[in-house]
Amino acid sequence: MSTFNDEDAFEAAAAPQGGSLSQRAMGAALGARAAPYLDGLNPAQREAVETLDGPVLMLAGAGTGKTKALTARIAHLLTTGRARPNEVLAVTFTNKAAREMKNRVGTLLGEAVEGVPWLGTFHSICVKQLRRHAELVGLKSNFTILDTDDQIRLLKQLIVAEGVDDKRWPARMLAGLIDSWKNRAWTPDALPASEAGDYNNLGGKLYAQYQDRLRTLNACDFGDLLLHMVTIFQTHPDVLEQYQRWFRYIMVDEYQDTNVAQYMWLRLLAASHKNICCVGDDDQSIYGWRGAEVGNILRFEKDFEGAKIVKLEQNYRSTEHILGAASGVIAGNTGRLGKTLFTEAKGGEKVRLIGHWDGEEEARWMGDEIEAMQTGTRRMDPIGLDQIAILVRASHQMRSFEDRFLSIGLPYRVIGGPRFYERLEIRDAMAYFRLITSPADDLAFERIVNTPKRGLGDKAVQKIQTMARSNGVSLRDGARLLLEAKGLGGKGAVELAKLLDGLDRWSASARNDSVSHIEVAEMALEESGYTEMWQNDKTPEAPGRLDNLKELVKALEQFENLQGFLEHIALVMDNDSEDATEKVSIMTLHAAKGLEFPAVFLPGWEDGLFPSQRSMDESGVKGLEEERRLAYVGITRAEKLCTISFAGNRRVYGQWQNALPSRFVDELPERHVDVLTPPGIYGHQAGSANDMLDALGGSDLHEAAAKANVYNSPGWRRLQERQSSRGAPKARNMTIDAQAVSAFTVGERVFHQKFGYGEVMAVDGDKLDVSFDKSGDKKVIGKFLVAADSAGDVPF
DNA sequence: GTTGCGGCTGTATAT
DNA sequence: CAGCCGCAAC
């Protein structure tokens, strides 16, 4: 991957080279003459940049220029000659952030300093380290990194071997558990008894088996990258000291997201010199579910005595209303470190809030709105599509937007969606590549023995497995032995021999310098019959898959060899297709962290969806607070215009469900919010809140409220008050109109708020088939219909 | 050994 | 509603 340009940078760092002296001199001269990277920094940023020695905690609110400060700090370290590039370690969480930082450091430094700092994600840096020291944890340096899919398949094998019912105890669940243990830096022997008892009392046992299996496969999973390095540092002080000498200055981005393992890794590395600068924002901690410990940031001062705390509070990104709305929401959380963001940018548009009848309506409205924004609106000058983002809580929400945008021809880009490298054909192709570079990769072997179909089904594979196991060799060798022993006959034997022969040839070519890795890849895909398989495939997606394969081969060009490519794939999870056309971005709130857009849409603000019910059920108030931080992250992505919306009805599992506006909606300070009332649907003003609650059915409310004590937010209380007080409350002027459920009969004339008049064709419980005069046949829920003759009573 | 159908289940968030 | 898994027929 691109994080490291210099293969031998570790060695280079260990043995200073001739150039370094002149570099230092040049750096010093530069530093004395001018420090352009200091220009435009505010006092707080400047302090963070210039405090080079000792521990520093930079508490940087959203949009306060933390990347600017961080990159300036690196530039400062280098140009003043305080450190050589390879003595600086900067860690981020995402590849995107690493790339961004690398670019900005490059721009700041220009050609002034040779070499690059150690800049990359926790994982990429750990792989690099682990390759050097693999043998210390029983691996070889060419270990493979398993993806989630391999992981699950492996675990499943172990689970079945234990005679456990993998229906009741799914492999996914165990994978999640093991992951969470690794996040907390618990090796199998260090696993607390309380945890080992999880998973039907087999958790600890299976965990140990899994680790053993990984070792025999010469493989590790994501969590291992960190866990192994922490283990090595703890058990081999000499190795640790080496790194402590190399990395003299450490910087960490998004510190609030570090988990225990990452924290330990950092602490070990920084233990001797304490030159560590962590940047973070407790209000943006949104990864608790994957082991992040906000506690890491909260107790920084205790861990690193004499730490300097710098708060960045001036926001340069958003208007005062956007900032005000975000602050209002986040104020609902307790135990914050507390920052007060301010901006000098006064005025601007308020945060817009709009309710919709249903999810489709929401998508339709947003599509129209986005089209209008391109040519300019009353509120905003014209902006390009790439200036607009839609941020959703869960990726399944994206679908309605994709559908709508496809039908109106609005270009969009899904960020972090189903990834290129997770596609079936790509994973198959990669399994071939993996087998070429590491013959003992049994998981890859299992994946492709019978892809394309070679007449090698379960039975044949089992024979191979038995043979491999009894001889203690890989599946690939086991297959060879099986053939030699004539343990397989017919077509399968011929095909298997062909495959093994092919693999040997491709492996040989890969080792041969005169054959490029691209040729090897093409050879493998061709000769194995894999491409042919898709060419013969008549399904509509086959051509697309072939295209993807071509793209895959093309991607190889950027790498030295297959090995390097596979590494890249294993670690790089973002797929930024550099497609020049302007597109609206659709992504999850999580994926949006660290990004900013002039215009942001935040759809789906409904209780249960956002905040997510599951989060609240599983983690109670803590979960709710993390959801609230997510809301905060979402709002603060916006520079000029932020639009929040919710829908009264949404299909869930194909069924229509009604929902209440998110409690976060009620936490938005009114003075920063504009409530939009689209024409046609929410036309009337009177008694709206009561209507809405009646429509939703009072019993639903009580039921939900009784279910958990998490329903104690101000927003929830207000809703309840509104319900009990019969007078027209000072409600926002939005409503979802419907009559309480009543029975309808086939043939009856009815009226629907959205579809107009129609006739009931069939009744199935509360679901009805209605033939509408204007909108055709629809399935609707009874509570959204009124008898046609009473329609006049309802103020539409 | 392969393919196709039907029933069941289940939703987050990601390196 | 959709994807996955298991089962039954080819």
Side-chain angles (χ1 to χ4, degrees), chain A residues 282-346:
Chain A
D282 53 316
D283 290 335
Q284 291 187 68
S285 161
I286 55 176
Y287 284 106
W289 52 273
R290 72 169 200 214
E293 291 277 340
V294 205
N296 290 346
I297 197 170
L298 300 177
R299 60 160 201 251
F300 186 86
E301 274 182 283
K302 285 197 204 94
D303 291 338
F304 294 98
E305 221 174 299
K308 177 138 202 163
I309 313 281
V310 182
K311 285 188 184 183
L312 304 191
E313 297 179 298
Q314 179 168 6
N315 175 294
Y316 297 95
R317 179 184 295 155
S318 313
T319 64
E320 84 178 293
H321 288 307
I322 291 170
L323 217 50
S327 303
V329 171
I330 198 66
N333 275 3
T334 56
R336 302 167 53 217
L337 285 176
K339 294 175 302 309
T340 315
L341 295 193
F342 66 97
T343 174
E344 286 173 358
K346 300 297 171 199

Side-chain angles (χ1 to χ4, degrees), chain A residues 41 46 84 308 448 515 518 533 597 610 617 663 689 794:
Chain A
L41 293 180
R46 191 156 178 144
R84 294 191 303 264
K308 177 138 202 163
I448 56 91
V515 187
I518 298 172
M533 173 181 104
F597 298 88
F610 187 43
D617 288 348
R663 65 196 70 192
V794 185

Side-chain angles (χ1 to χ4, degrees), chain A residues 452-470:
Chain A
K453 301 273 182 279
R454 296 189 174 90
L456 297 162
D458 281 351
K459 231 172 35 188
V461 172
Q462 259 166 35
K463 278 190 195 167
I464 296 174
Q465 269 164 346
T466 314
M467 182 59 90
R469 203 164 307 141
S470 59

Side-chain angles (χ1 to χ4, degrees), chain A residues 134-152:
Chain A
E135 77 287 353
L136 298 180
V137 286
L139 293 171
K140 285 181 279 186
S141 76
N142 66 344
F143 60 83
T144 46
I145 303 165
L146 301 190
D147 59 28
T148 327
D149 217 67
D150 291 328
Q151 215 184 111
I152 306 258

